[in-house]
């Protein structure tokens, strides 16, 4: 199948490369010329496990190519996938549709033959109707269907998730469009459920899923706080809860709050849609507030550790919003760092992948280090804010020697607390009474 994927970000690029690997001819289209030139020159623009190999293979054999030209890519395509950003409106927090609308208008001029336009970006309910109207108005004779094809890829696991989906949701109102999607997902038909629903249901499934997962994380975070006061251990509690198949074992890991480009944005957008439609979505509103409060509490706990020192230095491990990605958007780690900076704390940071993105945000407000041990050297306390696997390999005895005082705020439960205590550390872990 000939496919154009519009948008080459964390969703568009892995999707385009994955579809090429399945045997399709894919053009990844972006209006950002710099990005496209980089991709054309063989440089992957984001860090994503497994992407580099697939990218090199499928660019070398010509299955995926890159372009900034709608005129070059759209007329040939059977399927156009919209994977452009839907950033939050700074005032209402509603998802901003300007990139979707601009792309819809531009592509409409170049449609030729029957084309399915699939919206993969996370968009407010009824955006499918709006995109359909734009295309019809711009090019009344175009033969097309607009469908909703929400994305459930996790950053850091995008390639894994692309080839191993839990489910594929298709919001389509026309049989002709469904046939195109049946052909596209033929390789997955025995692997997972492919659920065909209305466009509005599909658009809602994406928001309802992300809001539910965000709520689940905040629930376990609140239980972790409770465990700290009750003598229970959150890992035992989560394991016991997760054995109930109605609850499920996943997404019950306590942390410093949820972040990333999806959960914060999608919970806010869903809350806005609730308000706009006059529906009480107070569970989601409470989840948002609870997540905001958590990051402040996390920062306060670290500040308490060093309250006896003037201008203390904290070694921070991790600025990405989670391990496995270089993405710092809405990262709890960055928000905790910013709160600490406002309290005259010096920060020495190390992150295995997110240093360039962090520098772009924090500039010279903190010290950047080349390794975890370099960051820890001479610091008054250590805070682990991102769950990178390599932090688990760090040697506690060496850390003790490098810190001025043996104290750790371990917000990703990286270290063996018993061992840390035996070595004389004061360790603030999550959900464990120490
Ligand atoms: C999420 C959804 O999982 C994915 O389906 C959707 O397509 C995009 O949004 P992603 O943003 O990549 O994916 O991150 P995810 O792995 O879901 O984690 C989100 C945040 O929750 C991170 O900050 C992570 O550290 C935190 N988290 C996740 C927890 O604190 N505990 C958990 O148990 C799981």
């Amino acid at each position: 199948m000939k496919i154009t994927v519009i948008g080459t970000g964390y969703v568009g690029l892995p999707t385009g490369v994955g579809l090429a690997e399945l045997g399709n001819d894919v053009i990844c289209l972006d209006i950002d010329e710099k990005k496209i030139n980089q991709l054309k020159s063989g440089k992957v623009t984001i860090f994503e496990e497994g992407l580099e190999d697939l990218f090199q293979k499928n660019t070398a054999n010509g299955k995926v190519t890159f372009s900034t030209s709608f005129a070059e890519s759209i007329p040939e395509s059977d399927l156009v996938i919209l994977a452009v950003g839907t950033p939050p409106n700074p005032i209402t927090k509603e998802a901003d549709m300007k990139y979707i609308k601009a792309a819809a208008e531009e592509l409409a001029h170049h449609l030729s033959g029957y084309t399915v336009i699939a919206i993969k970006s996370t968009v407010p309910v009824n955006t499918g109707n709006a995109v359909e109207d734009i295309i019809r108005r711009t090019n009344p004779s175009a033969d097309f269907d607009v469908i909703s094809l929400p994305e459930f890829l996790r950053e850091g696991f995008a390639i894994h998730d692309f080839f191993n989906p839990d489910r594929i949701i298709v919001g389509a109102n026309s049989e002709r469009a469904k046939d195109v999607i049946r052909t596209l997902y033929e390789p997955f038909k025995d692997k997972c459920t492919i659920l065909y629903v209305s466009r509005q249901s599909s658009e809602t499934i994406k928001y309802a899923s992300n809001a539910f997962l965000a709520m689940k994380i905040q629930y376990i975070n609140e239980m972790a706080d409770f465990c700290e006061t009750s003598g229970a251990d959150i890992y035992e509690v989560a394991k016991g809860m997760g054995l109930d198949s109605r609850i499920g074992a996943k997404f019950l890991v306590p942390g410093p709050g949820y972040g990333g480009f999806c959960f914060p944005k999608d919970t806010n957008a869903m809350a806005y849609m609730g308000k706009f439609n006059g529906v009480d979505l107070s569970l989601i509103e409470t989840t948002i507030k609870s997540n905001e409060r958590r990051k402040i509490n996390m920062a306060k706990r670290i500040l308490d550790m060093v309250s006896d020192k003037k201008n203390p230095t904290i070694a921070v491990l991790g600025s990405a919003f989670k391990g496995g990605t270089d993405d710092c958007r809405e990262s709890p780690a960055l928000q905790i760092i910013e709160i600490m900076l406002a309290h005259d704390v010096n920060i020495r940071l190390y992150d295995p992948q997110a240093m360039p993105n962090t520098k772009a945000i924090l500039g010279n407000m903190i010290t950047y280090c080349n390794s975890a041990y370099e960051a820890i050297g001479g610091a008054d306390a250590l805070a682990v804010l991102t769950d990178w696997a390599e932090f688990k390999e760090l040697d506690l005895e060496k850390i003790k020697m490098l810190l001025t005082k043996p104290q750790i705020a371990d917000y990703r439960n990286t270290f063996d607390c018993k061992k840390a205590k035996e070595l004389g550390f004061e360790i603030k872990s999550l959900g464990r009474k120490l």
Side-chain angles (χ1 to χ4, degrees):
M1 191 179 293
K2 287 194 173 10
I3 302 171
T4 295
V5 180
I6 306 181
T8 53
Y10 285 91
V11 170
L13 190 58
T15 302
V17 171
L19 289 170
E21 176 69 12
L22 291 178
N24 300 288
D25 293 306
V26 180
I27 300 177
C28 287
L29 177 72
D30 206 299
I31 50 169
D32 185 338
E33 212 162 306
K34 200 169 142 216
K35 229 191 221 178
I36 290 297
N37 285 339
Q38 248 178 299
L39 291 164
K40 275 183 175 171
S41 72
K43 267 199 214 111
V44 184
T45 42
I46 53 168
F47 172 74
E48 193 60 66
E49 191 75 44
L51 178 61
E52 176 80 38
D53 287 353
L54 282 190
F55 175 91
Q56 298 303 349
K57 179 181 162 198
N58 287 284
T59 46
N61 65 18
K63 293 304 273 182
V64 63
T65 55
F66 303 95
S67 174
T68 52
S69 161
F70 282 73
E72 220 172 77
S73 51
I74 303 295
E76 296 295 312
S77 297
D78 308 299
L79 173 67
V80 176
I81 296 178
L82 283 172
V84 297
T86 49
N89 176 303
I91 294 161
T92 62
K93 306 269 170 80
E94 182 191 20
D96 190 335
M97 289 297 98
K98 65 171 179 266
Y99 300 117
I100 290 272
K101 286 181 175 167
E105 196 168 329
E106 183 63 31
L107 75 87
H109 292 293
H110 305 284
L111 289 173
S112 157
Y114 176 65
T115 315
V116 174
I117 290 108
I119 304 177
K120 206 164 242 320
S121 313
T122 301
V123 291
V125 182
N126 281 316
T127 297
N129 295 351
V131 167
E132 197 172 282
D133 287 347
I134 290 171
I135 298 175
R136 214 175 289 292
R137 230 182 304 125
T138 314
N139 183 351
S141 62
D143 186 14
F144 70 98
D145 276 307
V146 174
I147 67 164
S148 158
L149 197 60
E151 188 48 74
F152 300 102
L153 302 178
R154 290 164 303 162
E155 283 182 33
F157 298 90
I159 296 297
H160 171 273
D161 289 354
F162 178 88
F163 290 103
N164 303 279
D166 277 341
R167 82 296 208 191
I168 291 168
I169 304 291
V170 186
N173 302 335
S174 106
E175 283 307 315
R176 210 169 159 206
K178 284 184 202 169
D179 283 343
V180 171
I181 297 304
R182 276 190 201 102
T183 309
L184 180 75
Y185 287 128
E186 175 74 19
F188 294 117
K189 77 172 194 310
D190 299 322
K191 270 192 156 182
C192 71
T193 300
I194 302 178
L195 183 68
Y196 292 89
V197 294
S198 75
R199 224 159 45 191
Q200 285 88 344
S201 298
S202 173
E203 290 164 341
T204 307
I205 286 169
K206 172 71 191 200
Y207 280 111
S209 300
N210 276 359
F212 185 83
L213 290 171
M215 194 165 63
K216 194 173 179 188
I217 294 166
Q218 267 320 100
Y219 185 83
I220 207 65
N221 282 339
E222 289 189 356
M223 286 304 118
D225 287 347
F226 180 76
C227 285
E228 286 165 27
T229 65
S230 71
D233 180 298
I234 191 62
Y235 286 89
E236 291 178 355
V237 172
K239 194 165 183 188
M241 286 170 63
L243 288 170
D244 184 332
S245 59
R246 292 170 303 175
I247 296 174
K250 292 181 181 162
F251 273 64
L252 290 178
V253 183
Y258 62 78
F261 198 55
C262 290
F263 287 173
K265 170 173 79 69
D266 295 350
T267 43
N268 276 314
M270 187 78 216
Y272 177 84
M273 285 189 284
K275 279 194 195 117
F276 195 81
N277 291 4
V279 180
D280 178 13
L281 296 180
S282 53
L283 285 178
I284 295 174
E285 285 170 17
T286 303
T287 299
I288 296 166
K289 279 191 203 133
S290 159
N291 192 47
E292 285 310 310
R293 248 195 334 264
R294 183 160 189 82
K295 287 171 284 190
I296 297 168
N297 288 343
M298 294 287 111
K300 268 169 106 176
R301 286 191 200 186
I302 308 172
L303 292 172
D304 282 350
M305 272 186 154
V306 290
S307 58
D308 56 345
K309 184 137 191 204
K310 205 164 178 270
N311 293 326
T313 298
I314 309 282
V316 171
L317 296 186
S319 53
F321 81 93
K322 63 173 186 176
T325 178
D326 61 352
D327 194 349
C328 292
R329 290 174 298 176
E330 295 287 332
S331 170
L334 281 195
Q335 293 174 32
I336 292 167
I337 289 173
E338 298 226 25
I339 296 169
M340 292 197 291
L341 285 173
H343 287 81
D344 298 328
V345 170
N346 305 303
I347 303 286
R348 295 173 61 78
L349 172 78
Y350 170 69
D351 186 291
Q353 294 292 340
M355 300 296 255
N357 285 341
T358 310
K359 275 183 194 162
I361 300 166
L362 293 180
N364 60 8
M365 288 160 76
I366 63 168
T367 306
Y368 301 93
C369 302
N370 293 315
S371 74
Y373 291 125
E374 188 187 320
I376 296 164
D380 301 305
L382 163 64
V384 184
L385 303 184
T386 306
D387 49 345
W388 281 103
E390 69 173 70
F391 296 159
K392 283 195 180 291
E393 307 302 318
L394 294 170
D395 178 358
L396 276 172
E397 290 186 30
K398 190 166 173 187
I399 293 176
K400 192 180 171 194
M401 274 173 12
L402 290 169
L403 288 171
T404 64
K405 205 172 163 190
Q407 31 188 15
I408 303 179
D410 185 2
Y411 293 161
R412 295 294 190 165
N413 290 340
T414 312
F415 299 112
D416 178 341
C417 290
K418 201 163 153 262
K419 190 171 169 206
K421 293 239 6 161
E422 280 166 11
L423 285 170
F425 276 96
E426 184 200 334
I427 179 158
K428 289 190 178 173
S429 173
L430 300 179
R432 292 162 164 182
K433 192 166 185 299
L434 299 168

